[in-house]
Amino acid sequence: MASFRDKFWLTLLLTIPTLIWSGMIQHWFDYTAPQFPGSAYIPAVFGTIVYFYGGSPFVRGGYHELRNRLPGMMTLISLAITVAFFYSALVTLGVVEGLDLWWELATLVAIMLLGHWIEMRSINQAQGALKELAKLLPDMAVRLDEAGTAKEVPVAELKRGDLLLIRPGASIPADGVVKEGTSAVNEAMITGESKPMDKSTGDRVIAGTVNGQGSLRVEVTGTGDETALAGIMRLVEQAQTSRSRAQALADRAAFYLTIIAIVSAAVTAIVWPLLGRPWSFTIERVVTVLVIACPHALGLAIPLVTAISTTIGARNGLLVRDRRGLEEARLLNTVVFDKTGTLTLGSHRVVKTTAADGLTDDEVLRVAASVQRDAEHPIAQALMTSAKEHGIDVPMSQDFESMPGRGVRAVVEERSLHVGGPGLLRMLAVEPPETLRRAAESAAADGQSATYLVEGDRVLAVFAIADAIRPESFDAVKRLHDEGLEVVLLTGDSTAVANAVAKELNIDTVFAEVLPEDKVAKIEELQAQGKRVAMVGDGVNDAPALLTSDVGIAIGTGTDVAVEAGDVVLVRSDPRDVPAIIELSKATYRKMIQNLWWAAGYNIVAIPLAAGVLAAWGILLQPALGAVLMSLSTVVVAINAQLLRRAVRSP
């Protein structure tokens, strides 16, 4: 980019004398340039320097294209300026009679250099996400030794197992697990999630994110190329450099446009002399045809949209591994979701609490979680996690006792309490009141576990415990329905559980109790019905189905196998990102088509005008004006591609 910038400015300076002493320019603007011995050769001297200095990138590029038998943009530019140069040289030397084209040559090279500079700046800005991602990592980290002494060390020296001190406001230098402390971490630059995420002991943190007001001690689990940030950068770079079908279409269009331009130039060179026009007029027409048909904008149309769409996706937590997947997403009519960890949280929660008369839901959850505080059972974890999420302070319990197959007992605030399933009720020989009995039956019908809180001979509450649905799943399914897509649930879970989740989310079709090896068959069954299918999953069991589907969408927090199998990776495990992918795909495709028309469509009118079909009416395009129009199409394509940023909304 710097090379084209420098060449443009110097070429522009060299072009000024060429214009000032050009006989044609003096005639048009009715002035006389300063005269001195040799002044008549100023346009030729400066025009020659411009050709060899400013035009050298195009001549070299054209040579390589012809050597590879792939004539294109550089071929046309090099032909145009080379024809203009040699014809003008012959006129200046008196070998042939006519008007030289030195000023046209100089302005043409200057404008083409400007166009290339603008193109490179546009692509460089679009790919700036990679540079911004690289800047997220700090240069230094604070490492704690065994004695707890803090020492600042270069990030490059960190290794797995190191304990780091993350001070308030500091960037996290490596992936890790919180060992001590609580804080809120801003992960927006990695996941696109605007709300800071609370972190405490056991939570994972990502390199490049920014710590909030609290202080954290973090054990390093990944550094350098092992970090999530490095993985994101690799995926972004891979997607931006991968060739898409639309790019192949643009390349074919550029090739055919090049052939059309060369043929048109040849016909122009033959016809005008036969009609009695001078060679100066004919060469000018040939040069204009070659310039105006240059597929410069075509070379920018697709790569720029590709770079911008990939950057938009990365900034919103959508990592495109395969451009084909993003292109195919706009054609989808069916989205298949795995259940556990995708539409649900992947861990059990209290999904419904029914308390006895006179008691509140928070009160019974508080004491039930306290009873289970020292237990390891998933039911205990569900009660504790749910209490934490409700902001409930769980008191300490005493005299904890586990009763395998029945439940647990503990003393909470001098109250002897039991928590357990139906076996506990039988052991204690107690019956729940009618409201609690109906709540337990309803939970069982939905495939949920019913857990009771008992004090003495009284049942205080029943908790329906299950893998809770993500709050975002409701909006995700609604948005997909609004787009006219069918939503399918594919799970190995029981029919009762699957139907309960599907009913709550308003999912159209359910495949339950599907063995891992049968998931591919279900995807193929849908495809056999003529449906374009996306599979969304996060586990090893989902990898074959992700590969079989038309578009595989992997949950980023899932296993590495699933992530590698997906065409698109969702960094933040938010199912609302699935409709966002489809919206991005549609917007990207629209911009690609628009850019192809902006880049090539104007040639339908421009090439005949450049060839001089309206010359009898005095309408002619000069080579420099042709270069302006061609460069203008490049600018329009660049601006139109940038507008893609407004076309995609975040979840």
Side-chain angles (χ1 to χ4, degrees), residues 119 122-123 126 246-247 249-250 253-254 257 294-309 586-603 630 632-645:
E119 173 187 345
S122 297
I123 291 182
Q247 180 60 55
L249 174 62
L257 183 57
C294 174
H296 193 266
L298 270 175
L300 179 64
I302 303 304
L304 186 54
V305 174
T306 296
I308 291 174
S309 64
K586 290 179 177 179
T588 300
Y589 180 76
R590 285 195 302 270
K591 287 299 175 189
M592 285 181 174
I593 296 301
Q594 289 169 8
N595 273 1
L596 288 177
W597 275 105
W598 278 116
Y602 79 104
N603 285 288
M630 191 280 299
L632 183 61
S633 71
T634 301
V635 173
V636 171
V637 162
I639 293 173
N640 189 52
Q642 296 292 340
L643 293 177
L644 177 62
R645 301 179 188 277

Side-chain angles (χ1 to χ4, degrees), residues 552-571:
I553 302 173
I555 299 296
T557 53
T559 66
D560 291 340
V561 175
V563 168
E564 287 300 314
D567 298 311
V568 182
V569 180
L570 308 185
V571 175

Side-chain angles (χ1 to χ4, degrees), residues 230-351:
I232 290 172
M233 292 179 66
R234 283 193 297 272
L235 291 177
V236 171
E237 185 174 23
Q238 175 184 331
Q240 288 186 339
T241 56
S242 65
R243 293 180 62 79
S244 65
R245 294 177 183 176
Q247 180 60 55
L249 174 62
D251 290 344
R252 286 198 301 273
F255 175 78
Y256 290 127
L257 183 57
T258 301
I259 300 301
I260 291 170
I262 293 174
V263 171
S264 299
V267 171
T268 302
I270 294 170
V271 170
W272 283 121
L274 293 177
L275 294 176
R277 289 285 189 158
W279 273 105
S280 59
F281 177 87
T282 301
I283 296 299
E284 189 176 79
R285 295 301 93 221
V286 169
V287 170
T288 308
V289 167
L290 291 173
V291 170
I292 208 163
C294 174
H296 193 266
L298 270 175
L300 179 64
I302 303 304
L304 186 54
V305 174
T306 296
I308 291 174
S309 64
T310 306
T311 301
I312 291 172
R315 287 177 175 171
N316 287 278
L318 317 174
L319 300 182
V320 181
R321 290 190 64 252
D322 187 343
R323 292 295 310 176
R324 181 199 62 82
L326 183 60
E327 289 184 9
E328 293 286 332
R330 69 184 177 85
L331 302 174
L332 294 172
N333 52 32
T334 304
V335 177
V336 178
F337 283 98
D338 173 51
K339 181 182 74 69
T340 306
T342 303
L343 290 176
T344 64
L345 294 170
S347 59
H348 285 73
R349 300 287 196 280
V350 175
V351 296

Side-chain angles (χ1 to χ4, degrees), residues 355-360 363 458:
D357 293 342
L359 301 174
T360 66
E363 181 182 355
R458 183 188 178 199

Side-chain angles (χ1 to χ4, degrees), residues 40-57:
Y41 293 99
I42 287 179
V45 172
F46 281 88
T48 299
I49 297 173
V50 166
Y51 172 74
F52 284 103
Y53 173 72
S56 59

Side-chain angles (χ1 to χ4, degrees), residues 72 77 128 155 195-196 251 283 392 418 440 451 453 522 627 647:
I77 299 174
V155 170
K195 180 182 177 182
D251 290 344
I283 296 299
I392 297 173
H418 291 79
T451 297
L453 171 65
K522 292 297 182 184

